[in-house]
């Protein structure tokens, strides 16, 4: 007998950040798969695991920062691959880097990355990931010891290794991201990436030539001193995960710790900043 699922179709404004937070919260509940949609995200839960109070403790639904509504649909047996494939298009970054799923054809791009994101954040579609890829494409990272903080799918760590960085530490606090990063590193034949489950508290006595942190403003500000302490002289810090209006806070934190601003990228209202130690 097939499982019956309930599909929660969430409409979220603003979509990107709201979807990210909502998926993180629902991931702690019996929801087992998520598919991004044009207006938000659809979350699936087995009907037998559903309760009327399942969303009662989901903080983001009551946050004044977001406007979130939803409808519920009963679905007989979901083909997860089909749902996912319908919503995943390969992307091209500046003609140099191609990010695709395993079922997409290979291209002649210099850097061809295969990502199976499942529930993790970081397919390359989001503006912040796209900009971080652009930064990495411009930097000669050969033999740079690298940290990918909040690695998600490990897409940035994978690109760094393809460009010659090593060794690379990839860290994420989310267990699903940790497992997905290991899987994606193996899928792309990476031999120099070590994935850890945890947060910035793992960065004791570590030193890096390149630190990549695509997280969010509050976590970046909270952990900035740790990043600076870990950065070698002339090392590079790449930051994203925040908006144009957050720049003064990020920049003040970086410059007061001795970092020098080097470059800004922007896509829509999202920004990415590069600093040198």
């Amino acid at each position: 007998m097939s499982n019956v699922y309930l599909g929660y179709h969430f409409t979220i404004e603003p979509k990107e950040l709201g979807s990210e937070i909502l998926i993180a919260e629902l991931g702690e509940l019996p929801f087992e798969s998520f598919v991004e949609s044009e207006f938000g995200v659809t979350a699936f839960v087995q009907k037998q695991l559903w309760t009327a109070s399942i969303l009662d403790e989901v903080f983001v639904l009551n946050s004044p920062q977001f406007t979130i509504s939803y409808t519920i649909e009963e679905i007989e047996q979901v083909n997860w691959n089909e749902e996912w494939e319908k919503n995943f298009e390969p992307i091209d970054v500046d003609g140099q880097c191609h990010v695709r799923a395993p079922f997409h054809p290979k291209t002649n791009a210099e850097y061809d990355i295969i990502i199976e994101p499942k529930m993790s954040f970081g397919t390359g579609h989001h503006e912040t990931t796209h900009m971080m890829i652009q930064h990495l494409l411009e930097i000669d990272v050969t033999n740079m010891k690298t940290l990918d903080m909040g690695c998600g799918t490990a897409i940035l760590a994978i690109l760094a290794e393809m460009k010659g960085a090593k060794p690379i530490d990839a860290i994420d606090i989310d267990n699903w991201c940790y497992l997905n990063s290991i899987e994606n590193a193996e899928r792309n034949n990476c031999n120099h990436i070590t994935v850890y489950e945890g947060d910035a508290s793992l960065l004791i006595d570590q030193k890096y030539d390149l630190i990549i942190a695509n997280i969010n403003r509050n976590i970046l500000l909270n952990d900035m001193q740790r990043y600076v302490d870990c950065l070698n002289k002339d090392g590079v810090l790449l930051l994203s995960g925040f908006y144009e209006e957050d720049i003064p806070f990020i920049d003040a934190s970086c410059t007061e710790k001795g970092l020098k601003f080097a470059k800004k990228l922007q896509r829509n209202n999202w920004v990415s900043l590069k600093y040198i130690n």
Side-chain angles (χ1 to χ4, degrees):
M1 181 177 151
S2 64
N3 289 327
V4 176
Y5 284 85
L6 295 178
Y8 277 72
H9 304 289
F10 291 95
T11 298
I12 305 165
E13 182 63 40
K15 178 189 165 187
E16 302 295 349
L17 183 59
S19 296
E20 187 182 343
I21 297 170
L22 180 62
I23 288 172
E25 288 202 72
L26 296 181
E28 300 295 320
L29 302 173
F31 289 88
E32 62 183 65
S33 191
F34 304 92
V35 177
E36 289 194 40
S37 64
E38 183 180 356
F39 301 106
V41 68
T42 295
F44 296 93
V45 60
Q46 287 189 40
K47 190 173 182 181
Q48 66 189 39
L49 301 177
W50 178 87
T51 63
S53 61
I54 195 165
L55 298 181
D56 284 1
E57 302 300 319
V58 179
F59 171 79
V60 73
L61 293 179
N62 299 306
S63 168
Q65 265 189 286
F66 304 98
T67 303
I68 302 177
S69 60
Y70 62 87
T71 58
I72 307 173
E73 176 187 13
E74 189 168 302
I75 305 164
E76 293 285 342
Q77 195 165 19
V78 179
N79 182 333
W80 300 124
N81 285 339
E82 184 182 295
E83 287 291 324
W84 185 71
E85 289 176 20
K86 278 193 310 196
N87 288 274
F88 188 99
E89 294 295 326
I91 67 155
D92 181 286
V93 180
D94 300 342
Q96 291 180 269
C97 181
H98 190 243
V99 184
R100 63 185 175 92
F103 51 83
H104 291 138
K106 190 178 189 305
T107 70
N108 293 322
E110 187 176 359
Y111 305 106
D112 183 68
I113 301 177
I114 305 170
I115 292 292
E116 186 135 23
K118 298 187 176 174
M119 284 159 37
S120 306
F121 176 72
T123 60
H125 288 77
H126 193 274
E127 287 94 332
T128 59
T129 316
H130 194 285
M131 289 183 290
M132 294 294 255
I133 290 173
Q134 287 181 303
H135 276 304
L136 287 172
L137 290 174
E138 293 177 355
I139 301 171
D140 180 1
V141 300
T142 306
N143 293 322
M144 291 179 84
K145 186 178 181 186
T146 298
L147 168 66
D148 182 1
M149 193 72 207
C151 57
T153 60
I155 182 174
L156 300 174
I158 291 165
L159 176 58
E161 171 159 337
M162 287 181 172
K163 292 200 72 209
K166 63 180 180 181
I168 301 166
D169 292 337
I171 298 176
D172 204 291
I173 197 168
D174 183 85
N175 179 256
W176 191 279
C177 293
Y178 163 73
L179 296 172
N180 192 216
S181 291
I182 293 172
E183 179 184 339
N184 284 325
E186 290 174 351
R187 187 184 292 279
N188 288 275
N189 301 311
C190 293
N191 301 310
H192 302 291
I193 297 173
T194 307
V195 184
Y196 299 93
E197 183 176 355
D199 57 19
S201 63
L202 296 176
L203 302 178
I204 305 298
D205 299 327
Q206 298 294 320
K207 283 292 182 183
Y208 299 98
D209 305 306
L210 171 64
I211 296 177
I212 305 160
N214 183 15
I215 313 180
N216 68 51
R217 187 189 90 168
N218 292 338
I219 294 176
L220 291 176
L221 292 173
N222 185 66
D223 295 341
M224 195 70 73
Q225 189 61 58
R226 288 185 188 267
Y227 303 153
V228 175
D229 291 343
C230 290
L231 200 57
N232 286 326
K233 182 164 180 10
D234 300 320
V236 177
L237 175 64
L238 300 178
L239 302 172
S240 197
F242 49 92
Y243 298 110
E244 167 85 14
E245 51 265 33
D246 296 322
I247 289 178
F249 304 99
I250 298 291
D251 187 63
S253 179
C254 289
T255 53
E256 74 184 12
K257 296 173 178 61
L259 299 180
K260 297 183 287 291
F261 172 77
K263 185 160 187 175
K264 167 189 162 186
L265 295 176
Q266 182 164 355
R267 284 176 73 83
N268 298 321
N269 198 37
W270 295 94
V271 291
S272 180
L273 304 177
K274 174 183 176 182
Y275 287 88
I276 310 292
N277 193 18

